[in-house]
């Protein structure tokens, strides 16, 4: 029985990758490091800032690395004042309301970024719970954030669906036992399915998504009717 949909934020609800890419380009240029999209997708996208900084700028102390990451995120927020959700997001939220499903946000985004994006997008009140990686024992690709979300909503993994755009996010949700749909806003659909997504779609208007959701609910209603 479907009881909840669990949403990633960056790249899933809103395509922030072009802005993050721009911010990382500007910040790393001060260290004479030039990055392209391939570098961004393989070394930055979906990872936590401490891991990224340690990987790319190993010469920085912990305090220097934290300041670099904070400055990068402040630049991101400065550049991201005109964010819009992916097509079909409002319709999907309305659909979950109609069918009385719970909604959780599960994100690796730093707290200030998550709060900023929820405010800019006008969706602060949409989620029954917001799970930040920094409040968990580990961030994605570790399943901990999704496990916390399931526990908070008091549901089992098989009663949820996760929506994720990055390989690390998909690995986290799948490792938590949650059927996962890939949102191919930033990565090739084949890559998302290769790491465990059972479906990959460009946005929430995709007919494949709605066919699946409606058939799932139709099956549930039939089972309930049979049981009664």
């Amino acid at each position: 029985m479907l009881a909840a949909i669990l949403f990633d934020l960056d790249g899933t609800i809103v395509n922030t990758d072009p802005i993050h890419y721009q911010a990382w380009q500007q910040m790393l240029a001060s260290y004479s490091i030039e990055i392209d999209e391939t570098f961004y997708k393989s070394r930055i996208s979906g990872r936590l800032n401490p891991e990224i900084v340690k990987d790319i700028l190993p010469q920085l102390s912990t305090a220097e690395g934290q300041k670099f990451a904070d400055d990068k995120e402040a630049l991101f927020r400065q550049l991201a004042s005109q964010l819009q959700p992916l097509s079909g997001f409002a319709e999907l939220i309305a659909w979950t309301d109609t069918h009385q499903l719970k909604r959780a946000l599960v994100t690796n985004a730093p707290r200030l970024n998550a709060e900023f994006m929820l405010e800019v997008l006008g969706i602060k009140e949409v989620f029954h719970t917001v799970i930040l990686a920094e409040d968990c024992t580990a961030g994605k690709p570790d399943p901990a954030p999704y496990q916390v979300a399931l526990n908070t909503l008091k549901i089992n993994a098989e009663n949820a669906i996760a929506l994720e755009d990055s390989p690390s996010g998909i690995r986290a949700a799948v490792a938590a036992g949650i059927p996962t749909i890939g949102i191919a806003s930033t990565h090739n659909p084949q890559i998302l399915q290769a790491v465990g997504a059972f479906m990959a779609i460009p946005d929430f208007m995709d007919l494949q998504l709605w066919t699946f959701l409606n058939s799932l609910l139709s099956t549930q209603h039939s089972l309930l009717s049979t049981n009664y």
Side-chain angles (χ1 to χ4, degrees):
M1 299 290 288
L2 182 61
I5 296 184
L6 313 183
F7 294 80
D8 172 49
L9 180 54
D10 283 285
T12 298
I13 292 174
V14 54
N15 187 6
T16 51
D17 259 37
I19 304 172
H20 280 296
Y21 175 45
Q22 184 182 349
W24 279 107
Q25 272 188 318
Q26 290 185 31
M27 291 295 297
L28 290 171
S30 63
Y31 286 85
S32 301
I33 298 173
E34 294 184 11
I35 67 170
D36 58 15
E37 289 190 20
T38 300
F39 183 103
Y40 176 80
K41 287 183 179 181
S42 63
R43 303 275 292 276
I44 296 174
S45 179
R47 301 177 74 193
L48 293 169
N49 280 343
E51 298 170 2
I52 299 168
V53 174
K54 191 174 181 180
D55 176 26
I56 301 173
L57 298 169
Q59 72 272 29
L60 298 185
S61 68
T62 301
E64 289 169 338
Q66 183 62 56
K67 184 181 185 309
F68 178 92
D70 290 345
D71 289 346
K72 179 265 158 182
E73 298 308 342
L75 177 58
F76 163 78
R77 293 191 294 274
Q78 183 183 325
L79 296 170
S81 60
Q82 304 298 318
L83 293 176
Q84 295 291 327
L86 288 189
S87 297
F89 177 73
E91 289 81 354
L92 180 56
I93 296 302
W95 184 87
T96 61
D97 274 336
T98 298
H99 298 287
Q100 300 180 313
L101 301 181
K102 294 177 180 179
R103 297 178 294 267
L105 185 72
V106 185
T107 177
N108 269 2
R111 187 180 306 278
L112 288 177
N113 279 17
E115 292 172 351
F116 168 83
M117 285 186 274
L118 292 175
E119 181 73 41
V120 168
L121 295 168
I123 56 172
K124 284 176 68 176
E125 310 304 321
V126 161
F127 299 100
H128 297 94
T129 187
V130 174
I131 307 300
L132 303 177
E134 62 192 66
D135 294 333
C136 302
T137 55
K140 307 170 191 176
D142 192 281
Y146 277 105
Q147 291 165 340
V148 171
L150 294 173
N151 291 336
T152 303
L153 295 176
K154 296 180 171 58
I155 60 172
N156 296 322
E158 60 268 24
N159 300 129
I161 289 172
L163 298 167
E164 275 282 358
D165 75 297
S166 71
S168 67
I170 291 170
R171 287 190 182 98
V174 170
I178 305 168
T180 305
I181 295 173
I183 307 299
S185 65
T186 56
H187 292 272
N188 185 292
Q190 285 75 24
I191 291 173
L192 302 185
Q193 289 182 292
V195 295
F198 71 87
M199 175 193 305
I201 57 175
D203 57 36
F204 304 114
M205 295 297 288
D206 192 89
L207 184 60
Q208 190 182 0
L209 171 69
W210 290 101
T211 300
F212 169 75
L213 291 176
N214 288 319
S215 65
L216 188 64
L217 271 252
S218 177
T219 301
Q220 286 184 188
H221 291 153
S222 296
L223 288 171
L224 286 172
S225 299
T226 303
N227 290 336
Y228 283 113

